[in-house]
Amino acid sequence: MLAGAAALAILLSGLLIFQIFLIVSERHQAADIRLAIDRESSQLHAITVQQDKLNATLRKPENAEVLERSMFLNTLIDRKAISWTKIFADLEKVMPYNVRLVSVRLPQVDSNNQVLLDMVVGAKEVQPILDLLKNLEGAAQFGPYSVQTSTPPSQTDPFYRYHVTVSYAQRL
């Protein structure tokens, strides 16, 4: 019994030493991580200060005209970078044969450089347009869509018309 208690005491002492070693090791790792976080925070602060100085320079009245012109030119370049050929080729892949593309407005580019297509489609029946919407959902190059309006056929126009807005994956 005494030998078993001694063996158990030695085993527990070994486990205690092992746990102390692990605790000390974790503390050293935590200290290293805190130092890395402090270093990164100071770099972030320096970059933020530098960005604020640059923004102040850009906001000066003598630089405002150059900034506006630059933003205008960048917007023009973004719009020019949209490939109409690629848009129509991608639409052709998802559009059923009996759906007509009535109109497409100049694509809008949002702040994330994503293209938003605004189009009107028409068909003699509703089902082909529903097939188009289903195809848009399944196509990788098109994102979520929304149907803005729908118009039933009239005496002068035999087509169901749907005004659809869809995000397009052509990134700039």
Side-chain angles (χ1 to χ4, degrees), residues 105-162:
R105 291 190 182 164
L106 183 64
Q108 299 296 316
V109 180
D110 66 9
S111 60
N112 297 330
N113 283 338
Q114 289 185 324
V115 178
L116 191 65
L117 291 178
D118 187 21
M119 59 186 174
V120 177
V121 293
K124 290 192 177 196
E125 297 175 5
V126 176
Q127 188 58 43
I129 294 177
L130 296 177
D131 291 342
L132 167 66
L133 296 177
K134 194 183 309 180
N135 292 345
L136 285 173
E137 279 183 0
Q141 60 269 41
F142 293 100
Y145 69 86
S146 66
V147 177
Q148 305 296 324
T149 60
S150 64
T151 309
S154 63
Q155 290 178 347
T156 58
D157 186 15
F159 294 106
Y160 288 92
R161 290 180 182 252
Y162 282 75

Side-chain angles (χ1 to χ4, degrees), residues 38-52:
D38 289 342
R39 234 184 337 221
E40 295 295 326
S41 295
S42 65
Q43 285 179 352
L44 178 63
H45 179 68
I47 290 171
T48 303
V49 168
Q50 186 179 12
Q51 180 68 38
D52 290 342

